[in-house]
Amino acid sequence: MKKIKVGVIGVGYLGNFHAQKYAAMEQVELVGVFDRNEARAREVAEACHAKPFTAYHELIKEIEAVSIVTPTTFHHQVGMECLQAGLDVMVEKPITVSLAEADELVQLAADKECILQVGHLERFNPGVMALEHYLDNPIYIESQRIHQFNPRGNDVDVVLDLMIHDIDIILSLVQAPLESIHPLGASIVTNSTDVASAQLIFANGCAATVSASRIAQTNVRQLVIHQQKSSLFVDYGKKDIIVVERSGAMTKTGFPVEEATHLPFPDQGDALLTELRHFIDSVRSRRQPRVSGTEGRQALAIALQVISALQEQQAARNLS
Ligand code: NAD
């Protein structure tokens, strides 16, 4: 099978891993990498047996598909140039900083018939993927992504940094339009929101609560989905999945009879490798990827609504 020629633009913390995963894939030729920081590009290229480029326009000419792993503010500019050149694009999350930019990327990808995948990595989390089989019209969803402080990623607030992962997962679980959002949040140690929660109410009656923090003492990453006949509990950190099924029978005390099963956490290697393999499969098959540009745009739209409501709350607090 012909190898797909791939490049990575932006090889800082995460881009380095993109380059490593591509370099290890048999069906891919990692042609080269580009980073504004030339020394970093050389270092990653050398480790991955690829070529360091000093201008990304030169790299673009030699490849068919690209990962864009620059800071988010550059996703639009770099993405537009890559799509214009006819490349299939895997852009890290969030897709862009604004909806207007996201719309342009999605439109150009459609016009050029290019694959556009967004790096919502958590959709490739084996715990999330294992739930698919048990999904049956969620009624109430709770998600928590509570992290210790990490100096990386603080160029954006906790909503774009962490909460957007769960917003994307919840949108993929609920097949109904979102009707309303009720957020709360505060900036504690940085100049932007560090802790936030939001209630999302969908047109089919499903409600979700999503909480995110980047200033916790311990890391907690959990997802709970309640449905009519079952409840699903995933602890990503502990790698634990519990499926509780209700047959409809009642106990003597009037509580539904429940049967709880601990599922083995699937061992599918790492989520980034699964995600990038999926991108390469989409490039080859020309099928829409699991997290398309449109889905990345939808998650961004809701994250921006949360941010805007939080800013209004903060402004009101400052006035009072
Ligand atoms: P980073 O700061 O470690 O790396 C960014 C790299 O891009 C740096 O090496 C920098 O020199 C380079 N760069 C800056 N401007 C550039 C440009 N115009 N062209 C080429 N290179 C440029 O950041 P990071 O943590 O690797 O994050 C990169 C992206 O990945 C961000 O969009 C971030 O939101 C996303 N991210 C996603 C996840 C996830 O879970 N999916 C996790 C971490 C980061």
Side-chain angles (χ1 to χ4, degrees):
M1 202 187 283
K2 184 177 149 286
K3 289 190 175 192
I4 309 266
K5 294 186 173 189
V6 173
V8 180
I9 298 179
V11 282
Y13 170 75
L14 191 58
N16 176 32
F17 291 117
H18 279 240
Q20 284 179 23
K21 304 297 170 199
Y22 286 132
M25 283 185 211
E26 278 185 5
Q27 69 275 40
V28 164
E29 178 189 347
L30 177 67
V31 173
V33 303
F34 169 76
D35 196 288
R36 270 194 171 176
N37 176 339
E38 287 186 22
R40 177 67 177 168
R42 277 199 303 278
E43 180 191 350
V44 174
E46 192 180 333
C48 295
H49 308 290
K51 187 172 156 192
F53 282 75
T54 50
Y56 69 79
H57 306 100
E58 295 304 317
L59 172 61
I60 285 173
K61 285 185 211 156
E62 295 191 26
I63 54 179
E64 303 161 82
V66 67
S67 270
I68 300 173
V69 202
T70 62
T72 307
T73 39
F74 296 104
H75 288 182
H76 173 258
Q77 182 206 327
V78 179
M80 291 298 280
E81 291 195 42
C82 291
L83 290 168
Q84 201 65 54
L87 300 186
D88 293 316
V89 169
M90 159 82 209
V91 62
E92 259 309 330
K93 70 94 245 304
I95 179 170
T96 51
V97 286
S98 76
L99 286 186
E101 288 182 353
D103 286 338
E104 283 188 15
L105 282 187
V106 170
Q107 187 60 53
L108 187 55
D111 292 347
K112 292 283 200 175
E113 297 183 8
C114 291
I115 299 292
L116 176 59
Q117 181 172 330
V118 184
H120 283 286
L121 183 62
E122 289 297 294
R123 277 253 229 130
F124 294 86
N125 185 309
V128 174
M129 294 176 87
L131 292 185
E132 272 170 25
H133 177 67
Y134 297 93
L135 287 176
D136 179 21
N137 208 11
I139 299 169
Y140 193 86
I141 302 173
E142 296 169 290
S143 80
Q144 281 187 301
R145 194 168 294 267
I146 309 296
H147 279 207
Q148 290 169 303
F149 189 73
N150 179 347
R152 273 188 332 97
N154 294 322
D155 52 328
V156 291
D157 73 0
V158 75
V159 177
L160 281 185
D161 185 17
L162 298 180
M163 188 189 278
I164 195 169
H165 283 295
D166 295 303
I167 291 173
D168 171 65
I169 289 173
I170 290 165
L171 292 181
S172 76
L173 297 175
V174 184
Q175 305 306 318
L178 183 65
E179 277 202 333
S180 62
I181 303 176
H182 308 277
L184 286 173
S187 135
I188 309 289
V189 299
T190 71
N191 292 329
S192 59
T193 304
D194 297 308
V195 280
S197 65
Q199 295 174 328
L200 311 179
I201 314 290
F202 291 86
N204 65 354
C206 178
T209 68
V210 44
S211 308
S213 167
R214 57 183 178 194
I215 53 165
Q217 289 298 302
T218 51
N219 292 348
V220 178
R221 292 191 296 145
Q222 292 178 340
L223 177 67
V224 177
I225 303 171
H226 294 294
Q227 311 180 118
Q228 192 76 47
K229 292 188 176 163
S230 62
S231 297
L232 317 173
F233 301 83
V234 182
D235 188 321
Y236 307 115
K238 292 185 181 150
K239 293 192 182 263
D240 193 22
I241 306 172
I242 305 172
V243 175
V244 174
E245 289 174 293
R246 289 177 283 275
S247 63
M250 302 298 269
T251 63
K252 282 185 195 148
T253 55
F255 193 77
V257 175
E258 292 187 331
E259 193 177 331
T261 314
H262 281 261
L263 298 186
F265 205 87
D267 183 12
Q268 298 169 334
D270 66 283
L272 183 61
L273 183 63
T274 310
E275 179 187 52
L276 296 180
R277 278 208 179 115
H278 177 81
F279 172 58
I280 295 300
D281 286 347
S282 302
V283 168
R284 221 179 261 292
S285 67
R286 310 313 296 166
R287 280 198 292 271
Q288 273 296 317
R290 188 180 174 87
V291 188
S292 65
T294 304
E295 287 170 86
R297 190 256 185 219
Q298 281 168 348
L300 177 68
I302 292 168
L304 292 178
Q305 283 184 55
V306 171
I307 291 169
S308 150
L310 291 176
Q311 283 168 345
E312 280 172 26
Q313 288 172 14
Q314 188 60 49
R317 267 188 234 141
N318 291 346
L319 281 178
S320 60

